[in-house]
Amino acid sequence: MPNHSASPNVAGEKPVIEAKGLRKEFGRTVAVEDLTLSVFRGEVFGFLGPNGAGKTTAVKMLVGLVFPTAGSARILGRPPSDPAARAHIGFLPEQFRFHEWLRADEFLDFHGQLGGVPAKLRRRRVQETLELVGLASRAQDRLRTFSKGMLQRIGIAQALMNDPEIVFLDEPTSALDPLGRREVREVIRTLRSQGKTVFLNSHLLSEVEMVCDRVAIIDKGKVVRAGEMSDLLSSQHEVEVKVGEVTPALLKALRGRFQVLSVSDSVIRLSVGSEEAAPQVAATVVQAGGQLYRLTPLRTSLEDLFVQVVEGGEGERRDL
Amino acid sequence: MRALVMARFTFREALRKRILYAALGLTFVFYLLFWTGCYFAFQEMRQGHMPASITRYAAAQILLSGLYVVNFMAGLLAIFTAAGTIANEVEQGTLHAVVPKSLHRWEIVLGKWLGFALMLSLYAVISSAVAIAVVYVLSGYLPPSPVQAVALSVLGVMLLLSLTILGSTVLPTIATGVVVFMLYALGTAGGMVEQLGNLIRNATMINIGIITSLVIPSDVIWKMAAYLLQPPAVLDALGNLSNRTTGPFTVATAPSQAMIVYSILYTATALGLSLLLFQRKDL
């Protein structure tokens, strides 16, 4: 696991979001065990994990909704409980339940006021954010009449009213159709182009893969893998071989040199050190008396990495 | 100050509550009955050539009964409009978008308190004024200290509001409504026990009354208001009856000023405690 301490990054910048040993217990349940991570300015940071891994609780600690049992969090160098720190963040909650008796423009104006946006600027921001999320034509409509997808989008608009430096989005696309998801991706890209930091909590891995620069995968309230998206994906080299018959001798030979991920009927999946290992795999199969029908180098997706890290557990995998 | 943003929002939200319109409807029905009752009562008294002092006494009693109802309605309104103000918003998750904004948590609770306080005060003041006006128009009777009495009635409502908001920060909506309403009922019952204890000179009953009024001083505040609404002649007469009370709405002896101070401190403490508890609440 890469060491992910809350220290300056290579460029010497200080993190804008910093968690050190964050822990949250609800009674006897440990929701977040020990969370340490740093997010730097301008990053789109993907925060992944299976349901119940403690993602939402972790985000809630970072935005000041939940108080940690132990450890500390810093937003722009200040604790999340400090309103001065929160003046620079936007947050879309997972449940996105709002005061539905308000009209869309009133709702945004109210949240702008809460965020300290001056009256003069507010009207313009309401218009801008409504346009950004594609709801400009519904400004006068009550939220009660909105679909779930529209509520989620107005929720994103609400998070952007104060023109925040850091935007926390907790499952921003859960209620959206593919078109809506694409729009949200565009919003995230726009935010990145404006130099903002986005903390994206999601279990939609393809989405994260498309927009995030860096990810952390958490499981059981701990970061189990973190790093640059490109590093994480390219460090994984897998090869699938189809053979005539899987014999113990063949398996033994393969295990001697590579990591066997799975075996089913005549297909064996291997993790290898690099792409150059493919010919060695072929040679090993042949030397062990196997018949090689097919050899396919696999491109690891974030999903593969996720499943491998979370479901298999790293340790278990090495024992194979 | 962001608390004022919350206050305005809460006031607008409170004006949308169905329970408010139900209460206003019931208040209106009550006024119709009250007017009708007053109209015939005073007409009969005039025709029967009652002595002025008796008419005044009757008018004071009728006004007290009317204000008792208004006061009770305002109390119920405080409990049932505010019971969910924190609890329900936490359950629904609507606070999740509000709390991370750049305001202190206490500003949210204080703002909610102010919003409800404004709405409830308007209700209490206007509906009390209407009751006083009805009796004045029909009988010519004006109570001695109406402003102070209405102010006390408002204090009683603020006390219940603060207690309700405190409940709402720690309990679910229904539980808050039930607990505060039961405390309110307990206060009223305790007040009756004390009054009865005074009548039959039973120390235990008086002590029970005192203890309940320490637990919740809502009834004491009402008694003080009621005392201020009675004409001095009635009080003199009651005094001569050596502390005997002649009806549920009459108060022979004013509760001590200390109890009023206690009630104000009680209200402030309940509000302060809810600000404090919400400050550290996990949402």
Side-chain angles (χ1 to χ4, degrees), chain A residues 24-26 60 63-68 81 83-84 86-87 89 91 93 95 97-99 101-102 106 110-116 142 144 158-159 162, chain B residues 2 4-6 8-10 12-14 16 89-105 107-108 112 278-283:
Chain A
K24 183 63 190 178
E25 296 163 13
F26 292 108
K60 281 182 170 182
V63 299
L65 281 168
V66 165
F67 296 91
S81 57
R86 296 201 305 267
I89 69 167
F91 172 55
Q95 288 170 301
R97 294 284 298 269
F98 308 118
H99 299 102
W101 53 275
L102 289 171
E106 291 173 335
F110 171 55
H111 281 272
Q113 285 184 56
L114 291 176
R142 296 207 183 276
R144 196 186 320 116
Q158 161 275 130
N162 58 337
Chain B
R2 311 276 155 87
L4 294 179
V5 176
M6 277 312 294
R8 207 167 58 208
F9 177 81
T10 307
R12 271 190 69 191
E13 193 176 35
R16 297 183 39 82
E89 287 220 58
V90 172
E91 275 163 45
Q92 299 252 319
T94 44
L95 274 181
H96 289 175
V98 172
V99 171
K101 294 287 183 311
S102 57
L103 73 171
H104 293 278
R105 282 186 173 208
E107 290 180 296
I108 297 173
K112 280 173 174 286
F278 189 65
Q279 200 69 18
R280 297 299 300 175
K281 190 177 170 73
D282 283 332
L283 300 171

Side-chain angles (χ1 to χ4, degrees), chain A residues 63-183:
Chain A
V63 299
L65 281 168
V66 165
F67 296 91
T69 312
S72 70
R74 285 281 181 280
I75 299 295
L76 299 163
R78 292 166 185 267
S81 57
D82 184 351
R86 296 201 305 267
H88 306 286
I89 69 167
F91 172 55
L92 169 74
E94 185 192 20
Q95 288 170 301
F96 60 91
R97 294 284 298 269
F98 308 118
H99 299 102
E100 299 196 347
W101 53 275
L102 289 171
R103 290 190 336 217
D105 53 356
E106 291 173 335
F107 168 75
L108 292 180
D109 188 68
F110 171 55
H111 281 272
Q113 285 184 56
L114 291 176
V117 183
K120 268 192 208 160
L121 198 62
R122 263 198 327 267
R123 186 182 294 210
R124 208 183 77 210
R125 283 301 293 165
V126 168
Q127 204 52 41
E128 283 172 0
T129 53
L130 278 172
E131 274 165 25
L132 187 68
V133 298
L135 287 172
S137 62
R138 303 293 301 260
Q140 312 281 312
D141 295 345
R142 296 207 183 276
L143 298 191
R144 196 186 320 116
T145 66
F146 278 25
S147 68
K148 267 187 115 180
M150 289 161 76
L151 282 175
Q152 196 154 29
R153 283 191 279 160
I154 199 82
I156 294 173
Q158 161 275 130
L160 301 177
M161 268 303 288
N162 58 337
D163 196 18
E165 283 181 47
I166 309 171
V167 186
F168 290 88
L169 302 172
D170 195 350
E171 303 286 1
T173 55
S174 60
L176 300 179
D177 56 23
L179 283 174
R181 285 183 185 173
R182 181 195 290 224
E183 282 174 30

Side-chain angles (χ1 to χ4, degrees), chain B residues 61-86:
Chain B
Q61 285 300 299
I62 289 170
L63 177 58
L64 269 184
S65 68
L67 288 176
Y68 185 83
V69 173
V70 164
N71 191 63
F72 181 69
M73 295 272 266
L76 286 191
L77 202 57
I79 297 171
F80 290 106
T81 47
T85 192
I86 306 284

Side-chain angles (χ1 to χ4, degrees), chain B residues 99-121:
Chain B
V99 171
K101 294 287 183 311
S102 57
L103 73 171
H104 293 278
R105 282 186 173 208
W106 60 262
E107 290 180 296
I108 297 173
V109 183
L110 182 65
K112 280 173 174 286
W113 188 90
L114 286 171
F116 280 116
L118 178 63
M119 186 272 279
L120 294 165
S121 302

